[in-house]
Amino acid sequence: LTPGGQATIDLTLENVSAWPISNIQTALKFDSSYLSTVKTIAPVKTLAPGEKTTDTIEVPVKANVARTASSTSNIVVTVQSSATFDFEIDGQKVSTNTTGNTTETKLTSPVSISAFGRYYAPSGDQLGRGPLPPLVGETTKYWIFWNISGTTNDLSNIQIEADLGPGVILTGRHSVSVGNAVQQSENSVTLSTGSITPTLPSGSTIIGVAFEVAITPTAAMIGTSPKLIGITQITAHDEFTGATVARSASAVTAYLSNDPLAIPYDKVE
């Protein structure tokens, strides 16, 4: 199952009795921590002995798993089918129910990545250097942060990458909680690491990456909020399901939405 995708369930009804059955209503039971509510399944009016019918149900898979979910690592989603129906014996109506088989499917890990910039720390301490607002011909330095969270399985071959904005370079200053150093490759910033353990279970922590970038604005940038990095992309291999996971985060400009002290001073002068 892929977070944010669809679970396709083929629901087959077969009348294995010796009597016609009617007013057949089916249902699916599952943990709502992982799958969204199913729309009402259309009832089947009648099935003759030996007759069967199949209905395909699409159930949305939630994009993220809450930390309060019954399981937060190596999740196996269980779906149980059931049905209620009527039949007649000697002219007497009998209403009953039956339980179908149970299916179990592994859930590929969700992953959330955020990207944001700061000139000041939440405490108000200055992280960046240089003029703010940025000035033509003078260098201003900002810190960019990547946070990875919400993962439920061991991930390997993690690659994080974003394009640097025009005229933006890495200064070489960085801090990472896992993996290798942040690298600049031509006009991109990248980070790779072999593996990370789940970040969602209680007691675990998010993965944090921080690095400093520098920009010396040109006259063409006057009146704009320069782009510091473009869209951040993360890809990884899910060790539990064997699937590839991917997610992206928005570009970061000099309009530092997570830094209230710096917000008024985003445009180049």
Side-chain angles (χ1 to χ4, degrees):
L1 296 177
T2 303
Q6 298 282 332
T8 302
I9 301 171
D10 290 330
L11 187 60
T12 299
L13 296 170
E14 183 177 7
N15 183 0
V16 296
S17 74
W19 302 276
I21 61 176
S22 60
N23 300 323
I24 308 157
Q25 182 64 64
T26 54
L28 296 174
K29 180 182 178 181
F30 48 78
D31 192 329
S32 60
S33 298
Y34 317 118
L35 301 179
S36 297
T37 304
V38 183
K39 294 180 181 179
T40 302
I41 302 174
V44 178
K45 292 183 179 180
T46 60
L47 280 178
E51 185 181 4
K52 66 180 178 180
T53 183
T54 299
D55 192 9
T56 299
I57 312 297
E58 298 284 348
V59 183
V61 182
K62 292 188 174 180
N64 298 292
V65 175
R67 190 160 260 181
T68 55
S70 56
S71 177
T72 54
S73 64
N74 293 348
I75 297 165
V76 176
V77 179
T78 300
V79 178
Q80 172 77 63
S81 60
S82 62
T84 61
F85 56 91
D86 301 331
F87 67 98
E88 289 188 5
I89 297 179
D90 299 329
Q92 183 175 356
K93 178 181 175 181
V94 178
S95 296
T96 188
N97 62 79
T98 186
T99 300
N101 65 313
T102 299
T103 62
E104 295 183 340
T105 309
K106 293 179 178 180
L107 178 67
T108 294
S109 178
V111 60
S112 295
I113 183 166
S114 61
F116 59 92
R118 282 191 170 277
Y119 190 90
Y120 296 101
S123 63
D125 294 337
Q126 184 174 332
L127 300 175
R129 293 293 183 265
L132 200 69
L135 301 177
V136 171
E138 298 189 34
T139 300
T140 298
K141 298 177 181 179
Y142 302 88
W143 277 86
I144 305 296
F145 296 84
W146 287 334
N147 289 335
I148 304 166
S149 61
T151 58
T152 58
N153 305 332
D154 288 341
L155 301 180
S156 61
N157 299 325
I158 298 102
Q159 300 287 333
I160 310 174
E161 182 176 6
D163 289 337
L164 293 167
V168 177
I169 61 170
L170 297 185
T171 67
R173 300 181 66 196
H174 64 269
S175 174
V176 297
S177 59
V178 296
N180 304 316
V182 177
Q183 301 286 340
Q184 179 172 347
S185 175
E186 296 183 353
N187 66 332
S188 296
V189 54
T190 62
L191 174 73
S192 61
T193 183
S195 62
I196 60 173
T197 56
T199 59
L200 183 65
S202 177
S204 62
T205 59
I206 65 175
I207 305 299
V209 178
F211 53 93
E212 187 182 57
V213 297
I215 182 172
T216 304
T218 64
M221 297 178 180
I222 292 175
T224 69
S225 298
K227 181 188 291 185
L228 302 179
I229 63 169
I231 293 172
T232 298
Q233 304 277 357
I234 180 172
T235 59
H237 175 78
D238 188 314
E239 291 292 326
F240 183 54
T241 65
T244 297
V245 300
R247 188 63 74 90
S248 62
S250 299
V252 179
T253 71
Y255 181 83
L256 307 177
S257 57
N258 282 52
D259 188 345
L261 293 176
I263 285 177
Y265 309 106
D266 62 310
K267 291 184 172 55
V268 175
E269 295 183 354

